[in-house]
Amino acid sequence: TVSAKAEAGQHGFWDNYHNIFSLLDELPTIDNVDDVLTGYAEQGQYSPRGLEAVWPVYRDSQPQLPTGIAQALYTKFTNLSPLDRASALPLVLAFSDFDDSKEAWEKYDSISFRDLCIKLGVSKRFYEEAFEPMILTGLFAPGAECSAAAALGMAYFFVLKSQNSFDVRWCKGNIGALIFDPWVNYLKEKGVTFATSTRVQGFEMGNTNTISSVKCSKLEDGIEESVTLDADKVVFAVGGAALNAMVRNSPELSQYSEFRKFANLRGTGVLATRLYMDKVLDTPYSANACWGFDEGVGMTYFDITKLHGLNVNDESEDNEVSGSIIEIDYYHAASLLVMSDKDIVEKVKRDLDTILGTLSINAKILDAAIVRLPQAVNWYSPGSYKNMPDAQSTSIPNAFFCGDLVRSRHGSWSQEKAFVTGVEAANLILGRAEGSGIIPLSSDEPHVALGRTALSTAKTIVGMGDAKKAPSLVDFLW
């Protein structure tokens, strides 16, 4: 049967989520962060051939080494040769050249990450077995369809900022129930109103090119009614596909060229599934990335039983867990979303059987959960940077944007960036100083800073005193 419920995928808390960790520490609804987040643990990477790599707990790997060197030495690749791994060294030039500036984004956003790797001589095997899985699970699309700028920024933040960057903690339960629900209830007690089951239908403009109200439809007890919300400020905290749809269906927004470019933004699909097994599966790693099961589709699998600390040996009547709960999620998954529930469950079980062998083959599914999320995550395709919003609209003064699609110089990604850009929007609305209330990323490590300084100096010389006039690495490659 497919009757169980699941969240829309798992969300990790990586080492550089400084602002989110600070928020969790400050929330009055959480006594101790360790009550809601797991500790650090090794992570696996699988292909249909079996285990391909093990990511250690980098903070426990000694001695502490310069970033790049640490990941190369401490990550345990089971099949990649030293020669394949060495072929990635030319990417150091790209990471040195890409400084997250507007100019760097415009240059590197014009080509795909796969093309960048090919031009720099990365071996086909290393790209397909190391970089492609990282892009598929980090940016949710194949490297051939992802901006090189987005890939470099994401990889630097999640993997290469320091030795410990890829260390990750997971929520000990569903994030909605464990973190957000208590927080929402606390805010309600403070007088905050949440308009649930309410969908934006359009906007009304004032006399000064500002949004005066938001027209919505609200579904309550099966009855839909129209609701108008007066607005002083409007914050678009939505992804690319939702922003696209709002502009396409709103003449008030589409009259502005700034908003019309948002119609070029798009998302990619996610399929989240959970299998409730009849027995305990002794999985080697509780969190895993996978590749090679479907062409152009990213994949992760999690042992929810272990992450949530569920006691399968509890024989009390209240215990509903008799075996392992396994979550398998797929990214860039439009081709899978159209499958029937039955076919999806059978496919997920086949993939799990391939990964775990007889351990899974001998187990049966008692129940399953399926969540289809078409165009749910942002697609950072080549050329998309010019269509992304800034924190404040230039054409509608009281319109603001936040989310991981918003252009920001903070350097963070994913949930951390979404939170940071939310604070940036709040700072603009409240007239606070830029960066107020935001923890910046740590400085580049000395060898990274030295490489970037040396390259910048060389570009300044070539540019006759202006580094911006000098060609970038991308210009030489093309």
Side-chain angles (χ1 to χ4, degrees):
T1 62
V2 182
S3 60
K5 295 182 179 180
E7 285 196 315
Q10 290 295 298
H11 303 280
F13 295 76
W14 270 264
D15 191 67
N16 287 322
Y17 278 21
H18 305 306
N19 290 277
I20 288 181
F21 284 126
S22 177
L23 171 68
L24 294 178
D25 281 331
E26 295 171 1
L27 283 181
T29 52
I30 296 176
D31 293 330
N32 190 316
V33 173
D34 293 336
D35 293 337
V36 297
L37 297 184
T38 67
Y40 297 99
E42 289 185 327
Q43 305 172 77
Q45 184 183 68
Y46 288 87
S47 79
R49 296 193 306 244
L51 184 66
E52 297 284 353
V54 176
W55 297 308
V57 178
Y58 289 96
R59 62 199 343 98
D60 293 341
S61 302
Q62 299 298 328
Q64 288 279 306
L65 298 173
T67 186
I69 297 174
Q71 291 84 346
L73 293 180
Y74 292 142
T75 307
K76 305 167 188 174
F77 289 104
T78 59
N79 295 312
L80 283 173
S81 70
L83 189 61
D84 281 316
R85 280 178 271 177
S87 72
L89 283 174
L91 273 176
V92 171
L93 290 172
F95 280 108
S96 297
D97 192 31
F98 183 78
D99 60 2
D100 202 42
S101 65
K102 180 177 182 291
E103 292 75 22
W105 263 94
E106 289 172 345
K107 288 285 187 180
Y108 282 87
D109 190 57
S110 65
I111 64 171
S112 75
F113 181 66
R114 181 175 180 272
D115 285 342
L116 178 66
C117 289
I118 291 173
K119 294 288 185 179
L120 290 176
V122 176
S123 77
K124 184 174 185 289
R125 183 169 186 180
F126 189 85
Y127 175 81
E128 291 180 348
E129 299 185 14
F131 286 150
E132 185 74 344
M134 176 186 69
I135 300 301
L136 278 166
T137 56
L139 292 177
F140 312 114
E145 301 176 39
C146 277
S147 153
L152 292 172
M154 181 274 296
Y156 188 62
F157 174 72
F158 279 116
V159 183
L160 293 171
K161 186 65 178 173
S162 71
Q163 174 175 314
N164 300 344
S165 289
F166 201 62
D167 286 344
V168 60
R169 305 176 73 178
W170 304 91
C171 192
K172 289 182 176 180
N174 289 340
I175 290 179
L178 210 56
I179 297 177
F180 281 99
D181 286 351
W183 188 13
V184 167
N185 290 332
Y186 172 81
L187 292 174
K188 286 180 177 178
E189 292 173 359
K190 295 294 184 181
V192 178
T193 300
F194 291 87
T196 57
S197 303
T198 304
R199 182 182 296 272
V200 173
Q201 299 291 354
F203 304 87
E204 293 180 351
M205 305 299 293
N207 296 326
T208 56
N209 284 337
T210 59
I211 297 174
S212 59
S213 61
V214 182
K215 295 181 289 185
C216 306
S217 61
K218 180 178 177 63
L219 186 64
E220 191 167 8
D221 298 327
I223 301 174
E224 188 172 270
E225 60 176 314
S226 297
V227 177
T228 298
L229 303 175
D230 293 334
D232 295 316
K233 310 290 183 183
V234 176
V235 180
F236 291 86
V238 296
L243 192 55
N244 177 319
M246 285 185 181
V247 171
R248 284 188 290 106
N249 293 290
S250 172
E252 295 79 17
L253 299 182
S254 61
Q255 64 179 306
Y256 300 103
S257 60
E258 175 197 11
F259 278 80
R260 288 197 297 271
K261 69 181 182 180
F262 300 152
N264 293 315
L265 299 173
R266 52 183 175 156
T268 182
V270 176
L271 174 65
T273 70
R274 281 188 187 177
L275 303 182
Y276 293 74
M277 315 302 293
D278 68 339
K279 60 180 62 178
V280 177
L281 308 183
D282 188 17
T283 53
Y285 309 100
S286 55
N288 308 266
C290 310
W291 58 269
F293 289 82
D294 298 274
E295 185 176 357
V297 178
M299 176 178 162
T300 52
Y301 101 81
F302 304 90
D303 188 333
I304 298 299
T305 322
K306 290 183 176 179
L307 291 179
H308 292 187
L310 303 177
N311 184 7
V312 294
N313 297 315
D314 182 359
E315 297 181 359
S316 67
E317 293 182 1
D318 295 333
N319 183 33
E320 299 178 354
V321 181
S322 58
S324 291
I325 302 174
I326 303 296
E327 175 157 338
I328 299 185
D329 301 331
Y330 300 87
Y331 314 98
H332 194 246
S335 60
L336 305 182
L337 296 179
V338 296
M339 297 169 64
S340 68
D341 287 356
K342 179 177 179 292
D343 289 343
I344 287 175
V345 172
E346 290 176 351
K347 180 221 170 358
V348 174
K349 181 60 161 60
R350 284 196 305 272
D351 290 346
L352 188 63
D353 291 347
T354 301
I355 293 170
L356 296 179
T358 56
L359 190 66
S360 173
I361 293 171
N362 294 332
K364 295 180 180 179
I365 299 172
L366 299 178
D367 203 350
I370 295 173
V371 181
R372 293 177 175 86
L373 301 158
Q375 298 196 62
V377 293
N378 294 320
W379 193 336
Y380 297 91
S381 56
S384 60
Y385 178 74
K386 63 180 178 291
N387 299 315
M388 297 178 189
D390 294 309
Q392 183 173 9
S393 168
T394 56
S395 52
I396 303 178
N398 70 332
F400 302 82
F401 303 89
C402 67
D404 59 353
L405 192 69
V406 174
R407 293 188 285 205
S408 169
R409 287 303 310 275
H410 182 263
S412 53
W413 276 86
S414 196
Q415 286 86 237
E416 175 76 356
K417 184 181 179 184
F419 178 59
V420 166
T421 54
V423 179
E424 289 178 341
N427 287 341
L428 288 167
I429 291 170
L430 298 174
R432 295 189 299 215
E434 183 178 357
S436 178
I438 297 173
I439 302 172
L441 287 177
S442 58
S443 301
D444 292 333
E445 291 190 1
H447 65 297
V448 176
L450 180 62
R452 286 182 166 171
T453 299
L455 189 58
S456 177
T457 300
K459 291 173 71 172
T460 300
I461 295 172
V462 172
M464 304 294 289
D466 187 352
K468 294 180 181 179
K469 294 181 179 180
S472 72
L473 178 62
V474 176
D475 297 311
F476 286 109
L477 294 177
W478 290 91

